[in-house]
Amino acid sequence: MTLFHDLWIPDVSIFEKIIRPILIYGFLVVALRLGGKRELGQLTGFDLVVLLMLSNAVQNAIIGSDNSVAGGLVGATALLVTNYLVVRLAYRYPRIERLVEGRPTLLLLDGQIKTENLARELITEGEFRTVLRRQGFEDLAEIKAAILETSGSLTVERATDLPTPVEAELLQRLERIEQQLQRFHP
């Protein structure tokens, strides 16, 4: 009988089990929004440690002293429903989306780095250049614009219609194939 009670009967009221995750969800949305886009899209080792410690720090605030399965299910359901409602509201009302998600940030325009925007997003020029190199851009002149999206990802628009390295290699291969075909069919 105590096993059944410990597994399925919450030690606190259902109302409290619903309110606690909603409050923590709201706090975390605001805290991560204030923390910047970087926290979401470009996690460093330090950022990951902070997020793991943050989840541990709020765990007891979400579940309280209750460790029952039913209490955990109620808390998890409250989190999922809250997130669903926030996502639906953000979809329906762009103003809420901007409030929760923020706005994209222009980091580079016409090959020129916007240092004030990098500073506002707490991204060093070295980190920025590393991300650009990973996307195949060695020279800033190749870039029309680089935008830090609200998700933390970086969108880069090429300045000219230059082929990417992969496209250039494919074009060379096609040219060689055409030359070989012309030898057989003059």
Side-chain angles (χ1 to χ4, degrees), residues 113-147:
I113 293 177
K114 302 289 187 181
T115 54
E116 65 280 359
N117 291 352
L118 280 180
R120 188 176 52 222
E121 297 296 340
L122 302 175
I123 299 172
T124 66
E125 187 173 326
E127 290 171 323
F128 181 53
R129 287 178 181 269
T130 298
V131 172
L132 293 174
R133 280 192 299 277
R134 282 186 196 143
Q135 292 197 19
F137 296 96
E138 292 292 329
D139 185 3
L140 297 181
E142 297 176 71
I143 304 170
K144 169 92 174 135
I147 300 165

Side-chain angles (χ1 to χ4, degrees), residues 33 37 97-98 101-107 117 120-121 146-155:
R33 172 71 173 90
K37 298 177 205 92
E97 181 181 21
R98 281 191 305 277
E101 295 285 331
R103 293 175 188 247
T105 304
L106 182 66
L107 299 180
N117 291 352
R120 188 176 52 222
E121 297 296 340
I147 300 165
L148 181 63
E149 303 293 349
T150 59
S151 66
S153 63
L154 187 68
T155 300

Side-chain angles (χ1 to χ4, degrees), residues 150-185:
T150 59
S151 66
S153 63
L154 187 68
T155 300
V156 182
E157 181 183 339
R158 194 172 290 281
T160 62
D161 291 333
L162 296 174
T164 66
V166 171
E167 292 169 338
E169 182 182 340
L170 288 173
L171 288 172
Q172 288 174 352
R173 287 181 181 182
L174 283 173
E175 196 171 304
R176 285 194 300 262
I177 290 170
E178 285 179 350
Q179 289 171 357
Q180 288 175 353
L181 287 173
Q182 286 176 357
R183 283 189 220 153
F184 294 112
H185 302 288

